[in-house]
Coordinates of all heavy atoms in Angstrom, one line a residue:
M1 N 18.0 -10.4 -1.5 CA 17.2 -9.2 -1.5 C 16.2 -9.3 -2.6 O 16.5 -9.5 -3.8 CB 18.1 -8.0 -1.7 CG 17.4 -6.7 -1.3 SD 18.6 -5.4 -1.0 CE 18.2 -4.4 -2.4
S2 N 14.9 -9.2 -2.3 CA 13.9 -9.3 -3.3 C 13.4 -8.0 -3.8 O 13.2 -7.0 -3.0 CB 12.7 -10.1 -2.7 OG 11.6 -10.1 -3.6
S3 N 13.3 -7.8 -5.1 CA 12.8 -6.6 -5.6 C 11.4 -6.7 -6.2 O 10.9 -5.9 -6.9 CB 13.8 -6.1 -6.7 OG 13.8 -7.1 -7.7
S4 N 10.8 -7.8 -5.8 CA 9.5 -8.1 -6.3 C 8.4 -7.6 -5.3 O 7.2 -7.8 -5.6 CB 9.3 -9.6 -6.6 OG 9.4 -10.3 -5.5
E5 N 8.8 -7.1 -4.2 CA 7.8 -6.6 -3.3 C 7.1 -5.3 -3.8 O 7.8 -4.5 -4.4 CB 8.5 -6.3 -1.9 CG 8.9 -7.5 -1.2 CD 9.5 -7.1 0.1 OE1 8.8 -7.0 1.1 OE2 10.7 -7.0 0.2
K6 N 5.9 -5.2 -3.6 CA 5.1 -4.1 -4.2 C 5.3 -2.9 -3.2 O 4.4 -2.7 -2.4 CB 3.7 -4.5 -4.4 CG 3.5 -5.7 -5.3 CD 2.1 -5.9 -5.7 CE 1.9 -7.1 -6.5 NZ 2.8 -7.1 -7.7
I7 N 6.4 -2.2 -3.4 CA 6.7 -1.1 -2.5 C 6.2 0.2 -3.1 O 6.4 1.2 -2.4 CB 8.2 -1.1 -2.1 CG1 9.0 -0.9 -3.4 CG2 8.5 -2.3 -1.4 CD1 10.5 -0.7 -3.1
Y8 N 5.7 0.2 -4.3 CA 5.3 1.4 -4.9 C 3.8 1.4 -5.1 O 3.2 0.3 -5.3 CB 5.9 1.7 -6.2 CG 7.4 1.9 -6.1 CD1 8.3 0.9 -6.5 CD2 7.9 3.1 -5.7 CE1 9.7 1.1 -6.3 CE2 9.3 3.3 -5.6 CZ 10.2 2.3 -5.9 OH 11.5 2.5 -5.8
R9 N 3.1 2.5 -5.1 CA 1.7 2.5 -5.3 C 1.3 3.8 -6.1 O 1.8 4.9 -5.8 CB 1.0 2.5 -4.0 CG -0.6 2.3 -4.1 CD -1.3 2.2 -2.8 NE -1.1 3.4 -2.0 CZ -1.6 3.6 -0.8 NH1 -2.3 2.6 -0.3 NH2 -1.4 4.7 -0.1
C10 N 0.4 3.6 -7.0 CA -0.1 4.7 -7.8 C -1.1 5.4 -7.0 O -2.0 4.8 -6.4 CB -0.7 4.1 -9.1 SG -1.5 5.4 -10.1
I11 N -1.0 6.7 -7.0 CA -2.0 7.5 -6.2 C -3.3 7.7 -6.9 O -4.3 8.2 -6.4 CB -1.4 8.9 -5.7 CG1 -1.2 9.8 -6.9 CG2 -0.1 8.7 -5.0 CD1 -1.0 11.2 -6.5
R12 N -3.3 7.3 -8.2 CA -4.5 7.5 -9.0 C -5.3 6.3 -9.0 O -6.5 6.3 -8.6 CB -4.1 7.9 -10.4 CG -5.3 8.2 -11.3 CD -4.8 8.1 -12.7 NE -5.8 8.7 -13.6 CZ -5.7 8.6 -15.0 NH1 -4.7 8.0 -15.5 NH2 -6.6 9.2 -15.7
C13 N -4.8 5.1 -9.4 CA -5.6 3.9 -9.4 C -5.4 3.1 -8.2 O -6.1 2.1 -8.0 CB -5.2 3.1 -10.7 SG -3.6 2.4 -10.7
G14 N -4.4 3.4 -7.4 CA -4.2 2.7 -6.1 C -3.6 1.4 -6.2 O -3.5 0.6 -5.2
R15 N -3.1 1.0 -7.4 CA -2.5 -0.3 -7.5 C -1.1 -0.3 -7.0 O -0.4 0.6 -7.2 CB -2.6 -0.8 -9.0 CG -4.0 -0.9 -9.4 CD -4.1 -1.4 -10.8 NE -4.0 -2.9 -10.8 CZ -4.5 -3.6 -11.8 NH1 -5.0 -3.1 -12.9 NH2 -4.4 -4.9 -11.7
G16 N -0.7 -1.4 -6.5 CA 0.7 -1.5 -6.0 C 1.5 -2.3 -7.0 O 1.0 -3.1 -7.7
F17 N 2.8 -1.9 -7.1 CA 3.6 -2.6 -8.0 C 5.1 -2.6 -7.4 O 5.4 -1.8 -6.6 CB 3.6 -2.0 -9.4 CG 3.5 -0.5 -9.4 CD1 4.7 0.2 -9.5 CD2 2.3 0.1 -9.4 CE1 4.6 1.6 -9.5 CE2 2.2 1.5 -9.4 CZ 3.3 2.2 -9.5
S18 N 5.9 -3.5 -8.0 CA 7.2 -3.6 -7.5 C 8.2 -2.8 -8.4 O 7.8 -2.2 -9.4 CB 7.7 -5.1 -7.6 OG 7.7 -5.5 -8.9
Q19 N 9.4 -2.8 -7.9 CA 10.4 -2.0 -8.7 C 10.6 -2.6 -10.1 O 10.9 -1.9 -11.0 CB 11.7 -2.0 -7.9 CG 12.7 -0.9 -8.4 CD 13.8 -0.7 -7.4 OE1 14.1 -1.6 -6.6 NE2 14.4 0.5 -7.4
D20 N 10.5 -3.9 -10.1 CA 10.7 -4.6 -11.4 C 9.6 -4.2 -12.4 O 9.8 -4.0 -13.6 CB 10.6 -6.1 -11.2 CG 11.9 -6.7 -10.6 OD1 12.9 -5.9 -10.7 OD2 11.9 -7.8 -10.2
E21 N 8.4 -4.1 -11.9 CA 7.3 -3.7 -12.7 C 7.4 -2.2 -13.1 O 7.0 -1.8 -14.2 CB 5.9 -3.8 -12.0 CG 5.6 -5.3 -11.8 CD 4.4 -5.5 -10.9 OE1 4.5 -5.2 -9.7 OE2 3.3 -5.8 -11.4
L22 N 8.0 -1.4 -12.3 CA 8.3 0.0 -12.5 C 9.3 0.1 -13.7 O 9.2 1.1 -14.4 CB 8.8 0.7 -11.3 CG 8.7 2.2 -11.2 CD1 7.2 2.6 -11.3 CD2 9.3 2.7 -10.0
R23 N 10.2 -0.8 -13.8 CA 11.2 -0.7 -14.9 C 10.6 -1.0 -16.2 O 11.3 -0.8 -17.2 CB 12.3 -1.7 -14.6 CG 13.2 -1.3 -13.4 CD 14.5 -2.0 -13.5 NE 15.2 -1.9 -12.2 CZ 15.3 -3.0 -11.4 NH1 14.7 -4.1 -11.7 NH2 16.0 -2.9 -10.3
I24 N 9.4 -1.6 -16.3 CA 8.9 -1.9 -17.6 C 8.7 -0.6 -18.5 O 9.0 -0.6 -19.6 CB 7.5 -2.6 -17.4 CG1 7.7 -3.9 -16.7 CG2 6.8 -2.8 -18.8 CD1 6.4 -4.5 -16.3
L25 N 8.3 0.4 -17.8 CA 8.1 1.7 -18.5 C 9.2 2.6 -18.2 O 9.7 2.6 -17.1 CB 6.8 2.3 -18.1 CG 5.5 1.5 -18.5 CD1 4.3 2.1 -17.9 CD2 5.4 1.4 -20.0
P26 N 9.6 3.5 -19.2 CA 10.6 4.5 -18.9 C 10.1 5.6 -18.0 O 9.0 6.0 -18.1 CB 11.0 5.0 -20.3 CG 9.7 4.8 -21.1 CD 9.1 3.5 -20.6
G27 N 11.0 6.0 -17.1 CA 10.5 7.0 -16.2 C 9.7 6.4 -15.1 O 9.4 5.2 -15.0
L28 N 9.3 7.3 -14.2 CA 8.5 6.8 -13.0 C 7.0 7.0 -13.3 O 6.5 8.1 -13.3 CB 8.9 7.6 -11.8 CG 10.3 7.3 -11.2 CD1 10.5 8.3 -10.0 CD2 10.3 5.9 -10.7
R29 N 6.4 5.9 -13.7 CA 5.0 6.0 -13.9 C 4.3 4.7 -13.6 O 4.9 3.7 -13.7 CB 4.7 6.5 -15.3 CG 5.3 5.6 -16.4 CD 4.8 6.1 -17.8 NE 5.1 7.5 -18.0 CZ 4.5 8.2 -19.0 NH1 3.6 7.7 -19.7 NH2 4.9 9.4 -19.2
C30 N 3.0 4.8 -13.4 CA 2.3 3.6 -13.1 C 2.2 2.6 -14.3 O 1.8 3.1 -15.4 CB 0.9 4.0 -12.7 SG -0.2 2.6 -12.4
P31 N 2.6 1.4 -14.1 CA 2.5 0.4 -15.3 C 1.1 0.1 -15.7 O 0.9 -0.6 -16.7 CB 3.3 -0.8 -14.7 CG 3.3 -0.7 -13.3 CD 3.2 0.8 -12.9
Y32 N 0.1 0.5 -14.8 CA -1.2 0.1 -15.1 C -2.0 1.2 -15.9 O -2.7 1.0 -16.9 CB -2.0 -0.3 -13.9 CG -1.4 -1.5 -13.2 CD1 -0.5 -1.3 -12.1 CD2 -1.6 -2.8 -13.7 CE1 0.0 -2.4 -11.5 CE2 -1.0 -3.9 -13.1 CZ -0.2 -3.7 -12.0 OH 0.4 -4.8 -11.4
C33 N -1.9 2.4 -15.3 CA -2.7 3.5 -15.9 C -1.8 4.6 -16.5 O -2.3 5.5 -17.2 CB -3.6 4.1 -14.9 SG -2.8 5.0 -13.6
G34 N -0.5 4.5 -16.2 CA 0.4 5.5 -16.8 C 0.5 6.8 -16.1 O 1.2 7.7 -16.5
F35 N -0.2 6.8 -14.9 CA -0.1 8.1 -14.1 C 1.3 8.3 -13.6 O 2.0 7.3 -13.3 CB -1.1 8.0 -13.0 CG -1.4 9.3 -12.4 CD1 -2.0 10.3 -13.2 CD2 -1.2 9.6 -11.0 CE1 -2.4 11.5 -12.6 CE2 -1.6 10.8 -10.5 CZ -2.1 11.8 -11.3
R36 N 1.7 9.5 -13.6 CA 3.1 9.8 -13.3 C 3.4 10.1 -11.8 O 4.5 10.5 -11.5 CB 3.6 10.9 -14.2 CG 3.6 10.5 -15.6 CD 4.2 11.6 -16.5 NE 5.6 11.8 -16.2 CZ 6.4 12.6 -16.9 NH1 6.0 13.3 -17.9 NH2 7.7 12.7 -16.6
V37 N 2.4 10.0 -11.0 CA 2.6 10.3 -9.6 C 2.5 9.0 -8.8 O 1.4 8.5 -8.7 CB 1.7 11.4 -9.1 CG1 2.0 11.7 -7.6 CG2 1.8 12.7 -9.9
I38 N 3.5 8.5 -8.3 CA 3.5 7.3 -7.5 C 4.1 7.6 -6.1 O 4.8 8.5 -6.0 CB 4.2 6.2 -8.2 CG1 5.7 6.5 -8.4 CG2 3.6 5.8 -9.5 CD1 6.5 5.4 -8.9
E39 N 3.7 6.8 -5.2 CA 4.3 6.9 -3.9 C 5.0 5.6 -3.5 O 4.6 4.6 -4.0 CB 3.2 7.3 -2.9 CG 2.2 6.2 -2.7 CD 1.2 6.6 -1.7 OE1 1.2 7.7 -1.2 OE2 0.3 5.8 -1.4
K40 N 5.9 5.8 -2.6 CA 6.6 4.6 -2.1 C 6.0 4.2 -0.8 O 5.9 5.1 0.1 CB 8.1 4.9 -2.0 CG 9.0 3.7 -1.8 CD 10.4 4.1 -1.9 CE 11.3 2.8 -1.8 NZ 12.7 3.2 -1.9
T41 N 5.7 3.0 -0.7 CA 5.1 2.5 0.5 C 6.1 1.7 1.3 O 7.0 1.1 0.7 CB 3.8 1.7 0.2 OG1 4.2 0.5 -0.5 CG2 2.8 2.5 -0.6
R42 N 5.8 1.6 2.5 CA 6.7 0.7 3.3 C 6.4 -0.7 3.1 O 5.2 -1.1 3.1 CB 6.5 1.0 4.8 CG 7.2 2.3 5.2 CD 7.0 2.5 6.7 NE 8.0 3.5 7.2 CZ 9.2 3.2 7.6 NH1 9.6 2.0 7.5 NH2 10.0 4.1 8.0
P43 N 7.4 -1.5 2.8 CA 7.1 -3.0 2.7 C 6.7 -3.5 4.0 O 7.0 -3.0 5.1 CB 8.5 -3.5 2.3 CG 9.5 -2.5 2.8 CD 8.8 -1.2 2.7
P44 N 5.8 -4.5 4.0 CA 5.3 -5.1 5.2 C 6.5 -5.7 6.0 O 7.4 -6.1 5.5 CB 4.3 -6.2 4.8 CG 4.7 -6.5 3.4 CD 5.3 -5.2 2.8
M45 N 6.3 -5.7 7.3 CA 7.3 -6.2 8.2 C 7.4 -7.7 7.9 O 6.5 -8.4 7.7 CB 6.9 -6.0 9.6 CG 6.9 -4.6 10.1 SD 8.6 -3.9 10.2 CE 9.1 -4.7 11.7
P46 N 8.7 -8.2 7.8 CA 8.9 -9.6 7.6 C 8.3 -10.4 8.7 O 8.5 -10.1 9.9 CB 10.4 -9.7 7.5 CG 10.9 -8.5 8.1 CD 9.9 -7.4 8.0
K47 N 7.7 -11.5 8.4 CA 7.2 -12.4 9.4 C 8.3 -13.1 10.1 O 9.2 -13.7 9.5 CB 6.2 -13.3 8.8 CG 4.9 -12.7 8.4 CD 3.9 -13.7 7.8 CE 2.6 -13.0 7.4 NZ 1.7 -14.0 6.8
R48 N 8.1 -13.2 11.3 CA 9.1 -13.9 12.1 C 8.7 -15.4 12.3 O 7.5 -15.6 12.6 CB 9.4 -13.3 13.4 CG 10.0 -11.9 13.3 CD 10.6 -11.4 14.6 NE 11.3 -10.2 14.4 CZ 12.0 -9.6 15.4 NH1 12.1 -10.2 16.6 NH2 12.6 -8.4 15.2
V49 N 9.6 -16.2 12.1 CA 9.2 -17.6 12.3 C 9.7 -18.0 13.7 O 10.9 -17.9 14.0 CB 9.9 -18.5 11.2 CG1 9.6 -20.0 11.5 CG2 9.4 -18.1 9.9
R50 N 8.8 -18.4 14.5 CA 9.2 -18.8 15.8 C 9.9 -20.1 15.9 O 9.3 -21.1 15.3 CB 8.0 -18.8 16.7 CG 8.3 -19.2 18.1 CD 7.1 -19.0 19.0 NE 6.7 -17.6 19.1 CZ 5.8 -17.2 20.0 NH1 5.2 -18.0 20.8 NH2 5.5 -15.9 20.1
A51 N 11.0 -20.1 16.4 CA 11.7 -21.4 16.5 C 11.1 -22.3 17.6 O 10.7 -21.8 18.7 CB 13.2 -21.2 16.9
V52 N 10.9 -23.5 17.3 CA 10.2 -24.4 18.2 C 11.2 -25.1 19.1 O 12.2 -25.6 18.6 CB 9.4 -25.5 17.4 CG1 8.7 -26.4 18.4 CG2 8.4 -24.8 16.5
Ligands
ZN101 ZN1 -2.1 3.8 -11.8

């Protein structure tokens, strides 16, 4: 299970970041601009590899 997917996004600067990046700062805030309102985005669907 990967926690490096950018599943969070700051609603102010619009940058995406992962849960690991979120842990850098205490509390829930954007690691780039420090804004305290972030949203959780859906991770992209995993690509399926077609078996040949
Ligand atoms: Zn931000």
Side-chain angles (χ1 to χ4, degrees):
M1 195 161 114
S2 173
S3 59
S4 61
E5 289 182 86
K6 300 189 185 310
I7 58 173
Y8 295 102
R9 188 175 62 179
C10 173
I11 68 166
R12 186 197 195 188
C13 68
R15 300 184 83 157
F17 41 91
S18 67
Q19 197 166 26
D20 284 345
E21 292 172 287
L22 198 62
R23 287 203 199 101
I24 297 171
L25 297 172
L28 290 174
R29 56 173 59 196
C30 173
Y32 298 102
C33 71
F35 200 59
R36 295 185 66 174
V37 182
I38 59 175
E39 64 178 4
K40 193 170 185 179
T41 63
R42 282 182 165 274
M45 293 289 285
K47 288 182 181 176
R48 294 196 178 187
V49 179
R50 179 173 293 191
V52 179

